[in-house]
Amino acid sequence: MAVSHTDFIPVCEPCFLGNEERYVQDAVRSGWISSAGGYLSRFEEEFAAYCGADFGIACSSGTAALHLALLAHGIGAGDEVIIPDFTMVAVLNAVLYCGATPVFVDVEADTWNIDADLLREKVSSRTKAAIVVHTYGHPCEMGAIRDAAVAAGIPIIEDAAEAHGAEYQGVKCGNLGAAACFSFFGNKIITTGEGGMVVTSDRKIAERCRYFRNLCFSLEGPRDYRHGDVGYNYRMTNLQAALGCAQLERLDELAERRIRNAKRYTRRLSQVPGLACPVERQGVKNVYWMYGLVVDEAKFGISRDALMAQLTQRGVDSRLFFKPLHSQPLLQRFGLAVTAQYPVTESLSARGLYLPSGSGLTDDQLDRVCAAIEAIHHEAKR
């Protein structure tokens, strides 16, 4: 049966509830539309304060934020950076941009976050940093991770692109490491269309991020067009920041909508055999950026891929889980072919998907998604 465009439920759409249009129009009328202006400094200051950090450095994307954080920590050729095997390729790219070597670590089977015990085992004399990703909005086990980092003498960089508003033991993601990196892509809990930010309470790190963000122009004195390092054009515009300021005013509401949606999903889908739903460990606040499922084909009745195909036929969008970073073909270009096994990541990649998860989803849409999955299961088991 064909599904009309208006009935199709997308995996995520931005949700504008407040001053977005007014602030963007104000930025346009002011003439400050590029990489300077009142909204830009306001967004940096207010978002950093929201996270509990002292400094915010807005930039062009979450990937740029990761790259800036690594550059600010002096990561370069010959260094190793520990990263989770189960995450977006942007993390791997940022390490490779620096000429450093990625060291992959498998993840926990329930949270899908980097395994702190395995992280500890991967530390070597060449390890200079670790990036930990709060996957799909669930904070990492930061206590054990910080213990491992202190023992190794390395900084922890949070990839909090998916964790706006998430908390670990009452502390917001963004204030749990030496620096944290956020994305404001269109599917994130708050968005600037494209964009990112590094937040930190280390003034030196903040200054280094600002330096590399703007082509390595001197942060002091006149602009004399002399550059001592290779720099990058990673600036955010005032127009984007205007959108971000409006979104930030509603961040808690937007996150709570995703939490509410996740609870509604779990109430129904946890009753369906063969589906593993997301968890929320004690002491953390999971903001459920995306609502993921792991499919046990034998119990559910069909494979993950078959489920996704049938959801599409019923007008429900979905997405695959990440592919293991250690298996990415691009590694061959760098002579970094990996032979080790990462069983949890490989299993998640083969069996995981996520469902429509935007903050603007209605109860009717959520119920339609659940009903579609229930019907697919019942038909498969007949």
Side-chain angles (χ1 to χ4, degrees), residues 187-252:
N187 64 8
K188 298 304 186 289
I189 293 178
I190 66 169
T191 182
T192 57
E194 290 280 1
M197 193 178 298
V198 181
V199 299
T200 182
S201 292
D202 186 318
R203 182 179 298 276
K204 181 178 179 181
I205 294 299
E207 290 175 350
R208 295 292 287 172
C209 286
R210 292 194 181 103
Y211 173 67
F212 285 111
R213 172 185 65 176
N214 189 25
L215 301 170
C216 291
F217 278 108
S218 174
L219 297 179
E220 299 177 356
R223 179 170 292 192
D224 62 2
Y225 295 95
R226 294 169 60 85
H227 305 267
D229 294 285
V230 174
Y232 303 87
N233 180 353
Y234 282 165
R235 300 183 297 262
M236 176 182 280
T237 70
N238 198 49
L239 285 174
Q240 292 171 299
L243 187 62
C245 286
Q247 288 269 280
L248 181 57
E249 292 172 348
R250 299 295 186 102
L251 194 163
D252 287 336

Side-chain angles (χ1 to χ4, degrees), residues 219-335:
L219 297 179
E220 299 177 356
R223 179 170 292 192
D224 62 2
Y225 295 95
R226 294 169 60 85
H227 305 267
D229 294 285
V230 174
Y232 303 87
N233 180 353
Y234 282 165
R235 300 183 297 262
M236 176 182 280
T237 70
N238 198 49
L239 285 174
Q240 292 171 299
L243 187 62
C245 286
Q247 288 269 280
L248 181 57
E249 292 172 348
R250 299 295 186 102
L251 194 163
D252 287 336
E253 178 184 353
L254 293 168
E256 286 301 322
R257 284 170 172 241
R258 299 213 185 199
I259 294 168
R260 181 204 65 189
N261 292 346
K263 290 179 178 178
R264 193 176 185 93
Y265 269 140
T266 298
R267 279 196 298 271
R268 287 187 64 169
L269 298 181
S270 62
Q271 306 304 311
V272 179
L275 297 182
C277 298
V279 303
E280 183 176 62
R281 282 191 180 169
Q282 187 174 1
V284 309
K285 178 181 178 181
N286 186 351
V287 291
Y288 299 94
W289 168 66
M290 288 293 164
Y291 190 89
L293 293 174
V294 180
V295 180
D296 182 329
E297 181 175 352
K299 295 179 180 178
F300 184 76
I302 59 174
S303 69
R304 181 272 311 270
D305 292 351
L307 169 59
M308 293 179 69
Q310 292 199 32
L311 284 173
T312 299
Q313 292 174 6
R314 287 169 165 79
V316 176
D317 201 7
S318 62
R319 291 287 187 278
L320 298 168
F321 271 11
F322 303 119
K323 297 296 184 186
L325 290 186
H326 80 270
S327 69
Q328 294 294 338
L330 67 90
L331 291 173
Q332 297 174 15
R333 295 182 51 200
F334 294 86

